[in-house]
Every structure is written in C-alpha cells, then in structure tokens.
Amino acid sequence: MTNRIVMLKEEIIRNEFLEAARLLFQQYGLQKTTMEDIARALGKGKSTLYYYYANKDEVFQAVVLKEIDEVSKAVHQKVIEAQTAKEKLTAYAANNINEIKGKTILYKLVCGELKGNLTKKMFNLRGQFDAKEIEILKEILAFGVNSKEFSSIKIEDINILAHLISSALRGIEVDMFIENKIPNLEDQIDHLLGILIRGLA
C-alpha cells in the first residue's frame, strides 16, 4: 500500500512539472525555457526535476506525448459515440482539428512551427501522433465496411486508405492553421467529408 501511495505522489509531481513546462514552452518557447525555470515555476529545486527527467528534451517529449494521448482519447471517445461510419468520420475530422488547436505544443509540432528546433526525437513524436490517428481511421473504415456503408472498400485496402486520409487531413490542417488557405474549415467539414464519403460508398 505504501508503494502505491509513493507512486501516486510521484505521478502527481510529474504531472505538475509537465503542466508547468507546457505553460513555459508555450510562453517562452523551447530554446528559452530552462530546467531551472520549470523547477522554479513549482517552487521546487532543480535537483527534484532532474530526479524525474534527465534533461529539457525529455521534459518536452513527455509534454507532447501527454498532449497526444489527451487528443487521441478525446477524439476516440467522440468516434465511439457516433452511430454511423459517416458520423464517425465526421466526428474524427472535426474533433481532431479542434483538439489539436487546443493543445498549443502539439499544435506547433503538427504545423511545423518548431521546424527550426526539430530533432529526430521531435520527428518521432510527430510519427507517434500520426500512428494514433491512423489507428482511429482504420477502426472507422473497418466499421464502415462491416456495416456496408463503405461498400467500395475491401478489407485489405483499409490500411493504405487510412494512411491516405490521414495525409490528406494533415495537409488540410497545415493549410488552415499556417497559411489560412481554408478559412472557416469547421463550417465546411461536413461538405468536404461528404465528397470523400461518396467516394467510399
């Protein structure tokens, strides 16, 4: 029982550090934020932070992974709640965009705003986010095939189709977030997905 209490306490401290780091990264950027800044934000010594994280890159990675997990869970829940394959695909696209916009650090990573600081680890983080997106899309497509809504899709095509849809939506996200080529995308998402779904049906 004592071990469990210690583990819970450590998890709380980790989350407090990650939230402090997220706010500092958001305000000052990755380069200007130091380990000392993160520790000081919680009124703790730097040695306490180093007990949990070896360096700033590790803290940043943990912040992004936490945001990825939160986005994936929120989007997946909306997908589960939707009844038809079309509704699930619409729920996925609309909520994915909204959730990413609400996660400042992940948003910057998705948009490439951290490109000046991108390391192999950061590219790997983006890859982990893409992989979670693709798994949700594969689930939606399989549901559509089994329910006969997506009658033109074969089971063996689901994997590649999920990758293609993910890439297309990623391009739309970048166009909307960075270059503002698609203003008010949220208002057009049903129409755009309708075009896609007519091709799947």
Side-chain angles (χ1 to χ4, degrees), residues 14-82:
R14 279 181 185 275
N15 285 329
E16 287 175 345
F17 274 128
L18 292 183
E19 181 58 20
R22 186 186 67 78
L23 293 172
L24 289 168
F25 289 146
Q26 177 181 333
Q27 187 171 358
Y28 301 110
L30 178 61
Q31 291 302 313
K32 292 183 180 178
T33 301
T34 67
M35 292 288 275
E36 189 172 351
D37 293 333
I38 298 168
R40 189 168 48 235
L42 285 180
K44 297 187 183 294
K46 196 162 56 170
S47 59
T48 305
L49 177 57
Y50 276 112
Y51 173 80
Y52 294 98
Y53 300 101
N55 51 52
K56 186 172 64 174
D57 280 349
E58 197 172 289
V59 176
F60 177 81
Q61 183 170 334
V63 168
V64 175
L65 287 173
K66 189 170 186 289
E67 289 196 344
I68 287 173
D69 189 55
E70 289 169 355
V71 168
S72 296
K73 284 180 178 175
V75 171
H76 194 232
Q77 184 57 42
K78 294 294 183 182
V79 168
I80 290 170
E81 291 169 5

Side-chain angles (χ1 to χ4, degrees), residues 42-192:
L42 285 180
K44 297 187 183 294
K46 196 162 56 170
S47 59
T48 305
L49 177 57
Y50 276 112
Y51 173 80
Y52 294 98
Y53 300 101
N55 51 52
K56 186 172 64 174
D57 280 349
E58 197 172 289
V59 176
F60 177 81
Q61 183 170 334
V63 168
V64 175
L65 287 173
K66 189 170 186 289
E67 289 196 344
I68 287 173
D69 189 55
E70 289 169 355
V71 168
S72 296
K73 284 180 178 175
V75 171
H76 194 232
Q77 184 57 42
K78 294 294 183 182
V79 168
I80 290 170
E81 291 169 5
Q83 299 300 307
T84 67
K86 177 182 176 181
E87 289 169 356
K88 288 178 183 292
L89 199 53
T90 302
Y92 164 80
N95 286 285
N96 200 47
I97 289 168
N98 287 331
E99 289 293 331
I100 290 172
K101 285 170 71 176
K103 302 292 183 186
T104 308
I105 308 302
L106 180 58
Y107 170 85
K108 289 182 178 180
L109 190 65
V110 168
C111 295
E113 291 177 19
L114 294 168
K115 60 187 173 186
N117 303 315
L118 280 179
T119 64
K120 188 174 181 180
K121 283 184 179 178
M122 291 179 191
F123 279 114
N124 188 38
L125 287 170
R126 173 70 221 212
Q128 289 184 56
F129 180 61
D130 292 344
K132 283 184 176 283
E133 286 188 322
I134 288 165
E135 285 306 309
I136 295 173
L137 284 166
K138 284 163 66 175
E139 182 181 313
I140 294 169
L141 292 171
F143 181 90
V145 170
N146 291 329
S147 66
K148 310 296 185 192
E149 285 182 73
F150 299 157
S151 57
S152 66
I153 302 175
K154 297 176 182 176
I155 288 289
E156 58 267 27
D157 295 331
I158 285 176
N159 188 50
I160 186 65
L161 189 54
H163 279 81
L164 288 172
I165 294 172
S166 175
S167 293
L169 290 175
R170 187 184 312 125
I172 289 171
E173 288 164 3
V174 170
D175 279 350
M176 183 182 74
F177 292 151
I178 299 178
E179 300 179 22
N180 199 29
K181 289 181 181 175
I182 312 176
N184 304 317
L185 178 62
E186 292 91 338
D187 298 333
Q188 303 178 53
I189 200 72
D190 280 340
H191 174 65
L192 293 171

